[in-house]
Amino acid sequence: MNIKVIIATHKEYKVSKDPLYLPLLVGAAGKDTSFISDLKSKGFEADNSGNNISAKNPYYCELTGLYWAWKNLDSDYIGLCHYRRYFSSAKKIPKTEEEKFSIVLTQEEAEKALSKADIVLPKARNYYIETVYDHYKHTMYVEPLDIAGKIIQEKYPEYAREFSLLKKTTKLHAFNMFIMKKELLDSYCTWLFDILGEVEKQVDTSQYSDFHKRFFGRISERLLDVWLNTNKIKYTEIPVIDMQNINWKNKIKSFLVAKFTGKRYEQSF
């Protein structure tokens, strides 16, 4: 299979050398040209080439990389992961970063997974004590997400039911990570970026901090399942491995504080 998974990164970082992957500097429009040239000499691409929205990276996060891949890659299957998050089907996760790189999803494993389904997704996250919508409302500013829902109701009413279910389900395929057939990616991205473009017209991002201005990427995490479920697309799940150790105690504490006090997140975990 002709599969290419971009590794979205905003800085130089160790990446998997498996032929499945293509490291991509996102937000390259705001980076020094000599820095970009140096990364390109090391096998990286930059999201400010070809048809791109690289300048929107402070708001769209890794979606500028997804847009670049959608518009500029000619592969049968296209995917997205992150410099600090990969798919991995390993049953035991090692502790060191070097060891973790040895168990990231390979070309062979990706082909096997895609022979069973049209899309590879990360194992669904379960918030357990609150819905996907409520979690967003407690941790972020929910108004842009509500506006996205209104746009869906107006422009894509066939997706409205699944969007409403965000207020009932506790499960979410997070991180904007997936691998899918190019024709499905065409359909998904056409729908997604049209909705986000409409949100962009209606929301004044200047009212938010730099952290909260990145809501476009967060909204898209909630919209992926809306698109998948409405179109009844067959998928398979593979766990995600974090290359950097996570402070779970701090993450869980922040989650509970947000839920019960309304104090929103001010950083990523």
Side-chain angles (χ1 to χ4, degrees):
M1 296 179 181
N2 182 3
I3 313 171
K4 193 55 65 179
V5 177
I6 63 167
I7 307 170
T9 180
H10 64 280
K11 60 184 179 181
E12 183 173 2
Y13 199 85
K14 182 179 179 180
V15 294
S16 173
K17 300 302 181 182
D18 190 282
L20 178 67
Y21 299 102
L22 176 64
L24 177 70
L25 179 68
V26 295
K31 301 288 195 303
D32 183 80
T33 55
S34 61
F35 172 66
I36 296 173
S37 297
D38 180 57
L39 282 187
K40 285 187 173 182
S41 71
K42 298 173 182 176
F44 285 65
E45 289 289 345
D47 73 350
N48 65 339
S49 61
N51 189 342
N52 74 86
I53 56 169
S54 180
K56 294 184 178 182
N57 183 259
Y59 315 100
Y60 277 63
C61 308
E62 66 274 0
L63 294 185
T64 62
L66 174 61
Y67 187 95
W68 180 90
W70 171 38
K71 293 295 186 180
N72 298 287
L73 289 184
D74 184 21
S75 300
D76 298 327
Y77 293 82
I78 292 176
L80 169 65
C81 69
H82 305 263
Y83 73 96
R84 61 192 181 106
R85 288 194 189 99
Y86 286 79
F87 289 108
S88 175
S89 56
K91 299 194 184 313
K92 185 177 180 181
I93 305 301
K95 293 183 178 181
T96 69
E97 183 183 85
E98 184 176 351
E99 291 174 314
K100 288 177 179 179
F101 271 105
S102 70
I103 61 168
V104 301
L105 189 74
T106 65
Q107 172 83 26
E108 182 179 357
E109 290 170 333
E111 290 182 5
K112 184 177 180 180
L114 289 166
S115 69
K116 302 175 183 178
D118 295 324
I119 299 180
V120 168
L121 294 175
K123 188 176 180 180
R125 166 179 285 185
N126 195 333
Y127 291 115
Y128 293 105
I129 62 174
E130 62 182 0
T131 67
V132 170
Y133 180 87
D134 285 341
H135 177 71
Y136 194 95
K137 184 177 181 179
H138 293 146
T139 58
M140 305 293 167
Y141 291 93
V142 77
E143 290 79 10
L145 180 62
D146 287 337
I147 289 173
K150 292 178 181 178
I151 291 167
I152 288 173
Q153 181 67 59
E154 294 168 0
K155 298 193 69 174
Y156 303 98
E158 66 273 26
Y159 291 88
R161 179 182 178 277
E162 282 296 333
F163 184 87
S164 70
L165 292 180
L166 294 178
K167 294 184 177 182
K168 295 183 178 181
T169 183
T170 61
K171 292 186 176 181
L172 170 73
H173 290 105
F175 311 128
N176 286 319
M177 287 177 63
F178 50 74
I179 308 172
M180 67 175 79
K181 287 184 176 179
K182 180 60 161 64
E183 55 265 34
L184 289 175
L185 187 78
D186 288 337
S187 173
Y188 173 58
C189 286
T190 298
W191 176 82
L192 174 67
F193 284 104
D194 182 49
I195 293 169
L196 296 182
E198 291 298 322
V199 172
E200 192 173 351
K201 295 175 185 177
Q202 298 184 36
V203 179
D204 177 14
T205 58
S206 66
Q207 64 187 300
Y208 300 123
S209 66
D210 288 346
F211 175 77
H212 285 287
K213 285 178 182 178
R214 295 156 55 187
F215 61 78
F216 294 96
R218 299 181 183 116
I219 288 175
S220 67
E221 287 185 87
R222 279 76 193 167
L223 295 188
L224 177 58
D225 282 337
V226 172
W227 178 79
L228 284 167
N229 295 335
T230 299
N231 291 291
K232 297 178 171 57
I233 297 172
K234 184 179 179 182
Y235 61 82
T236 186
E237 295 181 333
I238 294 178
V240 168
I241 178 174
D242 288 283
M243 309 309 288
Q244 300 173 342
N245 292 328
I246 296 176
N247 186 332
W248 284 104
K249 183 178 179 180
N250 185 45
K251 186 169 185 176
I252 293 171
K253 178 183 177 182
S254 297
F255 167 58
L256 294 175
V257 168
K259 177 173 177 58
F260 294 111
T261 73
K263 184 179 179 180
R264 297 180 177 90
Y265 289 171
E266 288 299 336
Q267 63 178 14
S268 297
F269 298 97

